[in-house]
């Protein structure tokens, strides 16, 4: 709130900011809680930034991507290489299993935030995104998925669900505003089952070029890896999961 104070021959403003903001015109969020808040504070360079958790008001570091996708800001919650698939293949998002999350730089081969950190970000996010090989190839829309978090039950366990996606692309097969068979069970990480998707009545059909037990964007257990999927094309391939929200610069 700005209070106007008048002086002879001039007009000046004495700004009294709410507790949540600071700055000459109260334009800066004092305690950002998501990457969108970081972007609102005028920062547009991707990197790790400190934000405040909703739980116990503890600060933690998160990698923010403000530039790769027009109209969105994203916070990285997990990244791992195919060589390290066993590290996270049995870890659904509802399990607290932080990996290298406190390092100054992201270890794209093995990285995951804690459960409370992910939950805090989810509280302020509207979307889930999955990418392949982001640190080496940037954002590619081949082997990519984006969905609204609402109705996704991202921290719960469920099976045999035709989950709605705004856009999903697996091995060049794409689908807009359609469903794909998605699973997250007690000892199996979040993943899309593209080949079997139509057999469960989902819209997405990943059978062309697919293999029957294929898993995409996670888990990658025995016999589920397809080398034609960018996330699993080699042992060095990486998979990233993000929480984010729309933001207009």
């Amino acid at each position: 709130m700005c209070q106007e104070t008048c002086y002879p021959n001039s007009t000046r403003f004495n700004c009294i900011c709410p507790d949540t903001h600071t700055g000459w015109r109260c334009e800066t969020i004092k305690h950002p809680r998501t990457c969108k808040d970081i972007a609102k504070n005028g920062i547009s360079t991707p990197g790790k930034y400190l934000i405040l958790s909703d739980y116990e008001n503890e600060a933690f570091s998160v990698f923010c991507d403000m530039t790769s996708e027009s109209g969105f800001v994203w916070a990285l919650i997990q990244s791992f290489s195919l060589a390290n698939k066993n590290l996270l293949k049995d870890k659904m998002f509802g399990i607290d299993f932080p990996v290298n999350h406190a390092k100054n730089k992201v270890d794209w081969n093995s990285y995951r935030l804690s459960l409370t950190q992910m939950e805090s970000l989810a509280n302020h996010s509207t979307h889930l995104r999955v990418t392949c090989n982001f640190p080496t190839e940037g954002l590619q829309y081949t082997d990519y998925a984006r969905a609204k978090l609402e109705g996704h039950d991202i921290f719960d366990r469920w099976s045999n669900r035709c989950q709605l996606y705004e856009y999903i692309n697996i091995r060049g097969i794409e689908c807009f505003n359609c469903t794909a068979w998605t699973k997250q069970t007690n000892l199996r990480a979040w993943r899309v089952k593209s080949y079997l998707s139509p057999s469960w009545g989902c819209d997405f059909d990943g059978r062309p070029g697919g293999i029957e037990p294929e898993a995409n964007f996670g888990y990658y257990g025995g016999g589920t890896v397809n080398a034609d999927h960018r996330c699993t094309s080699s042992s060095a391939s990486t998979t990233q999961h993000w929480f984010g929200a729309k933001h207009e610069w």
Side-chain angles (χ1 to χ4, degrees):
M1 176 179 66
C2 290
Q3 293 181 337
E4 184 179 2
T5 303
C6 296
Y7 297 90
N9 301 319
S10 68
T11 300
R12 297 183 181 180
F13 294 91
N14 177 29
C15 290
I16 302 173
C17 298
D19 292 339
T20 56
H21 286 70
T22 187
W24 180 252
R25 296 183 178 178
C26 305
E27 75 281 5
T28 302
I29 299 172
K30 190 183 297 185
H31 302 297
R33 294 183 182 272
T34 183
C35 290
K36 184 175 180 177
D37 288 345
I38 297 292
K40 284 182 177 179
N41 283 347
I43 297 173
S44 58
T45 303
K48 292 199 80 176
Y49 295 93
L50 280 177
I51 63 174
L52 196 65
S53 171
D54 283 351
Y55 306 99
E56 300 179 356
N57 281 332
E58 293 183 350
F60 67 96
S61 179
V62 63
F63 181 87
C64 297
D65 168 32
M66 303 88 157
T67 59
S68 71
E69 193 165 3
S70 178
F72 282 92
V73 173
W74 298 99
L76 180 69
I77 62 168
Q78 177 175 277
S79 180
F80 63 97
S81 66
L82 183 61
N84 289 329
K85 66 180 182 180
N86 290 337
L87 181 69
L88 296 169
K89 74 175 186 178
D90 61 346
K91 303 297 189 300
M92 56 179 279
F93 287 122
I95 292 177
D96 186 29
F97 191 75
V99 180
N100 294 326
H101 65 306
K103 289 186 175 181
N104 291 331
K105 292 185 178 180
V106 175
D107 184 345
W108 297 92
N109 294 310
S110 55
Y111 174 84
R112 176 166 159 145
L113 296 179
S114 71
L115 177 57
T116 56
Q117 291 167 352
M118 290 191 289
E119 288 175 333
S120 181
L121 287 169
N123 290 343
H124 302 275
S125 300
T126 57
H127 285 74
L128 165 72
R129 179 177 77 164
V130 193
T131 58
C132 298
N133 301 325
F134 183 84
T136 55
E137 299 176 11
L139 180 65
Q140 304 288 329
Y141 287 101
T142 298
D143 298 316
Y144 165 96
R146 187 180 69 240
K148 289 184 178 179
L149 275 176
E150 183 180 6
H152 207 106
D153 299 331
I154 196 65
F155 299 113
D156 204 353
R157 64 191 65 160
W158 28 267
S159 184
N160 305 335
R161 176 180 290 184
C162 288
Q163 186 67 48
L164 182 64
Y165 291 85
E166 290 185 343
Y167 179 70
I168 185 167
N169 183 307
I170 296 175
R171 292 177 279 99
I173 304 169
E174 65 179 7
C175 194
F176 295 86
N177 297 316
C178 62
T179 59
W181 190 31
T182 310
K183 303 183 72 173
Q184 180 167 244
T185 48
N186 193 32
L187 294 176
R188 297 289 187 273
W190 186 97
R191 73 275 192 197
V192 174
K193 302 287 285 185
S194 60
Y195 187 93
L196 295 173
S197 183
S199 66
W200 288 93
C202 305
D203 300 323
F204 188 83
D205 186 354
R207 288 173 294 186
I211 57 175
E212 185 168 346
E214 183 174 346
N216 306 104
F217 305 128
Y219 175 55
Y220 308 140
T224 67
V225 172
N226 189 337
D228 291 332
H229 181 56
R230 290 176 55 249
C231 284
T232 54
S233 59
S234 75
S235 62
S237 297
T238 58
T239 304
Q240 292 78 42
H241 296 89
W242 314 73
F243 289 158
K246 290 183 177 181
H247 176 67
E248 299 298 333
W249 295 94

